[in-house]
Amino acid sequence: MMRAQADSPMPFKIVVPARYASTRLPAKPLLDLGGKPMVVRVAERGLLSGAEEVWVATDHAEVLAAVKQHGLSALMTRTDHPTGTDRLAEVVEQRGWSDDTIIVNVQGDEPLIDPALIARTAQHLADSGADIATLGCPLGDAADFFNPNVVKLTCREDGDALYFSRAPIPYARDHFSGENGKFSLPAGLPAYRHVGLYAYRAHFLRAFAHLPPSPLERFEALEQLRALSNGFRISVMIVDHPPLPGVDTPEDAKRMQGAFSTAADGRGEA
């Protein structure tokens, strides 16, 4: 399995998909973090990565206006995209990017994303020759291993992904049927948590937009399985620790607002 390599400059672009509607957090991209909308904070982190261009792709005029008000680039995309990846595919067409362009998908609810990690993910895609690059980190907690909300992955010896699942994979049959049950993981189990930072080649995004969801994708509710089911390569870069958490719930929002408020009080950035 391939480990993270040292950074090296290479051209790439960033797209931040920012859907306005959210069941748990309405108008989530506009959440105020220290005087700026969250999606603006995310785009600013993207700019620090060395990307050639950073675009916010939204489906709502208020988000578009907020981003442009802060001097950043944004464009309007359709409201009916089922996934963020489909939204990226529309951006590729709108911008007319060539098939070999590398695009990093930075989620619009991760205002503390490490810019260096964005650059390393883009570089990993360039080095691997795959269609997609994503991240994994070691998973050592049994509770997380059996939690369906924690996505697990397994890899081939060359570092390409074999499978992603909400189920506990790989399943240590003898260990879990023994006295320890499901309260611990056996030493050496190659268990990895998937970290949802992606880099894509534009040719893949163009193809993805025309592929129907696969049965695996529908049952697991994991869109990356559409790519695997259709023979695309996903190379996994292993990092030691997951990135700092984003904003999914009202509780997350309060925590993040507190972090930026504290940073502002200290005259620094969160």
Side-chain angles (χ1 to χ4, degrees):
M1 193 175 302
M2 298 181 71
R3 289 273 167 181
Q5 302 296 314
D7 298 352
S8 60
M10 53 83 58
F12 67 96
K13 306 179 192 301
I14 290 174
V15 176
V16 181
R19 188 171 63 90
Y20 184 82
S22 172
T23 303
R24 290 180 288 187
L25 281 172
K28 184 165 74 165
L30 300 179
L31 177 72
D32 185 271
L33 297 179
K36 293 182 181 180
M38 178 164 64
V39 69
V40 169
R41 294 286 187 185
V42 174
E44 289 177 339
R45 299 294 282 181
L47 287 170
L48 294 174
S49 71
E52 292 181 305
E53 303 175 39
V54 178
W55 288 88
V56 173
T58 186
D59 59 356
H60 200 279
E62 287 185 44
V63 178
L64 187 79
V67 174
K68 290 187 174 182
Q69 181 183 355
H70 285 84
L72 301 172
S73 300
L75 45 74
M76 199 68 130
T77 52
R78 301 200 319 262
T79 60
D80 60 347
H81 286 305
T83 71
T85 311
D86 291 289
R87 197 172 305 282
L88 263 68
E90 183 182 348
V91 174
V92 167
E93 292 306 321
Q94 283 199 38
R95 299 299 303 161
W97 289 334
S98 64
D99 279 351
D100 60 352
T101 302
I102 291 178
I103 301 116
V104 181
N105 179 354
V106 177
Q107 297 298 324
D109 56 7
E110 296 188 0
L112 299 180
I113 185 89
D114 181 2
L117 190 60
I118 297 172
R120 290 167 65 196
T121 304
Q123 186 65 56
H124 183 80
L125 180 60
D127 293 342
S128 69
D131 304 294
I132 308 165
T134 192
L135 308 182
C137 67
L139 199 165
D141 183 80
D144 286 342
F145 186 68
F146 288 98
N147 182 350
N149 294 317
V150 175
V151 178
K152 277 72 66 176
L153 63 88
T154 57
C155 290
R156 303 187 328 195
E157 290 300 314
D158 63 1
D160 280 6
L162 270 174
Y163 194 64
F164 298 82
S165 184
R166 299 182 183 279
I169 59 171
Y171 193 84
R173 183 198 63 180
D174 295 340
H175 178 85
F176 295 133
S177 63
E179 294 182 0
N180 288 324
K182 297 180 179 179
F183 300 106
S184 68
L185 302 182
L189 182 71
Y192 293 92
R193 173 198 296 262
H194 178 227
V195 178
L197 181 63
Y198 289 97
Y200 302 102
R201 296 185 189 274
H203 77 81
F204 163 77
L205 290 169
R206 286 192 167 94
F208 183 88
H210 301 289
L211 295 173
S214 70
L216 292 174
E217 176 188 359
R218 289 198 300 268
F219 281 105
E220 291 262 21
L222 297 173
E223 65 189 77
Q224 61 268 43
L225 294 177
R226 191 188 317 180
L228 285 184
S229 296
N230 285 277
F232 290 99
R233 288 181 55 207
I234 303 177
S235 184
V236 180
M237 181 174 74
I238 300 300
V239 295
D240 293 331
H241 306 286
L244 293 171
V247 177
D248 290 320
T249 66
E251 292 73 25
D252 294 337
K254 291 178 181 178
R255 169 183 54 79
M256 195 67 73
Q257 286 177 319
F260 276 90
S261 175
T262 300
D265 291 343
R267 297 184 179 180
E269 288 290 341

